[in-house]
Amino acid sequence: MLFTAGPMVFSLYLSLTRYDMLKPASYVGMDNYRELISDPKVATALYNTLFFTFLHVPLQIVLALGLASLLRRAGRASGFFRTVLYLPVMTPPVALAAMFLLLLNGQTGAINELLGWFGFTGPNWTTDPVWVKPGLVVMSLWTVGSTAIIYLAALSRVPGELYEAARLDGASPWRQFWHITLPGISGTIYFTVVVNTIASLQTFTEAYAMFFGNSETADSQGDSALFYVIYLFQQAFSSLRMGYASALGWALFVVIAVITVIQVRVSRRLVHYESEPR
Amino acid sequence: MSLVEAPAAATVTERDVTSRTPRTTSIVRIACVLALLLTAVAFLYPLIWLVSASLKDRAHVFDNALIPNPVAFANYVEVWQAVPLLAWIVNSALVGLAAAAAATLSSAVVAYGFARFQFRGRDVMFGLVLATMMLPSAVTMVPVYLEWHAVGLATTQIPLWAQNLFGSAFYIFLLRQFFLGLPGEIFDAAKVDGAGHVRTFVRIALPLTVPALVVVFVFELKAAWTDLIKPLIYLRDTDFFTLPRGLKTILDRFGEGGESQWELVLAASTIATAPMILLFLVAQRYFVRGLNTQSNR
């Protein structure tokens, strides 16, 4: 813990300095924070990150819930499907990035070929700035398996008697879902929303592997895949602006804290806890 | 039912999932299985496509046919000769094992401390440990780098695993639950037999916790094997690269420009992915347990 608290304090101090690792750090007060407020790249990065998060998290949750419900009704085949759905989660993100650069390719990619079967002309996911982020969201849904398995376990803990009773009362499957299933697993849904959001706001690897560290790709899509942590990483380790990068880190911390607090507030009204022993 | 509630009955999870399924008519069940089959195809397709495309020659790599024709095993030989893949695999394995071992041991020691000892401020400290889970790693990325730089180790592989020696909040939480679930009598018995704290921990607590230790080990092994950001920050010398860091180099070198050689990128991607798929198939139930534990928080 000391080893987390130490860097935190150090980081807070650094964020008030200008430090390029060549000359000693010089104290500049709030300059870094003033700069990041007026830095258009920060605005872009923050917009990209929030855009991705607000698209990715709800889709991830709904898809995972759907898959978990299906898995639960699949009987003996459930184990096999669980394995298949989880395999993509094991793929190293850089390999994932390499694969999806081709799968999402506008001309030859398999995803647009699939869309073509249904009469749609797919966009240039990897080069059109408008479609870069939706493309990353599509790719992120491929690793929904871990959330689906978490939901599967939660579903199996909802007491079966409740469904029996509801059936006797003649409740439709839809009503059963709204009044028994959703309240029964709302604690788990809440947990996955919070964790997924925090992780999503820190998106780095796939987007960086696909679009950065290489001059050519960076040019083709402009700043449309510039996520917040990527910008922080560039400031720290390409431009060696350690003080500014630390300030960026703290600003991200504030954004995450605010969003988490909002989620906690909202959850108080929506999350239903069984009187379970804790 | 899961680790958190009843550690000893962790295997119940497997049975629960299949036995307590809702009452469904056979038509609904068939519809569900069909829907799952379609999803399974969508989820497996990219992996099959990856292996297949990695075996195509340059002219056919974009054709999306699932059976490569002609089959170009030469891609694997070529990429093996073009970059130090073997060194990267060895580096990844070493870093991964060190990271997993460090995380498992240190988290176990700390968790045991929180579970078995009474001391002042224990609960406050445990709360703080859990709070560190919320802290984005982006905040500490820069200062931690500067600390390694200050001790002259910033361009070695050590920072990639050594931080795990301080334990990790999630694993500490998981293992603490497990230790709390062990019956107190075994510890009393050990005390009567004159076993000290270290002996009790090593000979009694740890062996009983093996399933949970395996969960921590395989999760961390996977995390370290697939990580890109730390190798990007710390590794400079190509010979010290881990596989994901090397893969990024291959992607930048062979994936771009007029002479792009995607078949080599995909061959290397297959090589990086295969061990993780194997690890999962071997240690599958431990991954499922780890996930189920999370769902219970």
Side-chain angles (χ1 to χ4, degrees), chain B residues 79-189:
Chain B
V79 75
W80 193 270
Q81 286 166 348
V83 291
L85 262 186
L86 181 63
W88 295 348
I89 293 171
V90 171
N91 290 339
S92 270
L94 289 177
V95 166
L97 291 174
T104 312
L105 273 178
S106 62
S107 300
V109 172
V110 177
Y112 187 73
F114 276 123
R116 303 286 327 163
F117 296 103
Q118 295 284 346
F119 52 89
R120 256 160 62 107
R122 184 186 69 168
D123 294 339
V124 176
M125 261 180 80
F126 187 64
L128 283 172
V129 168
L130 290 187
T132 61
M133 279 197 291
M134 295 307 234
L135 188 80
S137 56
V139 175
T140 48
M141 197 161 84
V142 171
V144 169
Y145 170 79
L146 291 177
E147 281 167 8
W148 286 112
H149 184 77
V151 291
L153 295 172
T155 55
T156 68
Q157 292 171 347
I158 294 170
L160 269 51
W161 57 268
Q163 266 147 282
N164 285 354
L165 287 171
F166 308 125
S168 125
F170 170 58
Y171 300 142
I172 291 172
F173 174 80
L174 190 156
L175 293 173
R176 174 178 164 272
Q177 297 294 326
F178 217 97
F179 286 128
L180 285 176
L182 296 177
E185 298 91 63
I186 3 177
F187 294 101
D188 298 337

Side-chain angles (χ1 to χ4, degrees), chain B residues 187-212:
Chain B
F187 294 101
D188 298 337
K191 209 169 183 180
V192 171
D193 288 347
H197 287 311
V198 176
R199 211 178 143 78
T200 314
F201 175 66
V202 174
R203 302 295 292 272
I204 301 193
L206 279 189
L208 288 171
T209 324
V210 166

Side-chain angles (χ1 to χ4, degrees), chain A residues 207-214 217-218 221 225-226 230 234, chain B residues 248 252:
Chain A
Y208 185 84
M210 283 170 90
F211 299 115
F212 294 89
N214 168 308
T217 33
Q221 48 76 40
L226 183 72
I230 293 179
Q234 288 177 337
Chain B
K248 174 65 178 145
D252 291 342

Side-chain angles (χ1 to χ4, degrees), chain A residues 1 3-4 6-8 10-11 14 19 21 67 70-75 77-79 81-95 97-103 108-110 113 141-142 144-146 149-150 152-154 156-160 164 167 188 191 194-195 198 202 204-205 208-210 212-214 216-217 229 232-233 236-237 242 245-246 249-250 252-253 256 260 278, chain B residues 1-2 5 13-14 16-18 20-24 28-29 31-33 35-37 39-40 42-47 49-50 61-64 125 128-129 132 134-147 149 166 219 222 225-229 232-233 236 244-245 247-248 251-253 256-258 262 265-266 269 272-273 276-277 279-281 284 287-288 291-292 294-297:
Chain A
M1 202 175 65
F3 293 90
T4 312
M8 269 179 77
F10 186 19
S11 167
L14 273 174
Y19 183 47
M21 299 185 61
L67 286 176
L70 288 179
L71 280 173
R72 208 161 137 55
R73 287 160 197 279
S78 168
F81 287 122
R82 214 170 46 191
T83 306
V84 169
L85 296 188
Y86 198 82
L87 282 182
V89 182
M90 299 304 290
T91 313
V94 190
M99 291 160 68
F100 274 83
L101 270 177
L102 292 187
L103 290 170
T108 59
E113 195 176 305
L141 291 181
W142 197 51
V144 73
S146 55
I149 287 173
I150 290 177
L152 182 62
S156 72
R157 284 193 304 268
V158 179
E164 301 288 341
R167 245 192 302 271
T188 304
F191 167 76
V194 171
V195 170
I198 294 178
Q202 298 184 69
F204 175 84
T205 309
Y208 185 84
M210 283 170 90
F212 294 89
N214 168 308
E216 237 174 286
T217 33
V229 176
L232 192 159
F233 174 85
F237 301 105
M242 296 296 177
S246 299
W250 280 100
L252 178 67
F253 177 66
I256 290 179
T260 308
R278 283 195 169 260
Chain B
M1 189 73 62
S2 87
E5 285 163 18
T13 315
E14 301 278 322
D16 260 11
V17 169
T18 43
R20 276 170 54 193
T21 46
R23 199 179 288 168
T24 30
V28 173
R29 174 155 300 173
C32 288
V33 171
L36 277 172
L37 267 177
T39 328
F43 274 64
L44 273 185
Y45 177 81
L47 283 175
W49 171 87
L50 170 68
V61 70
F62 295 120
D63 66 9
N64 289 333
M125 261 180 80
L128 283 172
V129 168
T132 61
M134 295 307 234
L135 188 80
S137 56
V139 175
T140 48
M141 197 161 84
V142 171
V144 169
Y145 170 79
L146 291 177
E147 281 167 8
H149 184 77
F166 308 125
F219 261 78
K222 185 224 158 194
W225 181 279
T226 56
D227 182 42
L228 175 67
I229 190 161
L232 271 177
I233 294 175
R236 295 280 173 275
R245 181 68 187 86
L247 206 50
K248 174 65 178 145
L251 185 59
D252 291 342
R253 193 165 125 199
E256 297 304 323
W262 275 98
V265 178
L266 297 174
S269 298
T273 306
M276 287 299 98
I277 302 284
L279 174 72
F280 179 66
L281 293 179
Q284 193 179 152
F287 280 100
V288 173
L291 290 171
N292 290 353
Q294 295 186 16
S295 75
N296 256 8
R297 276 198 286 193

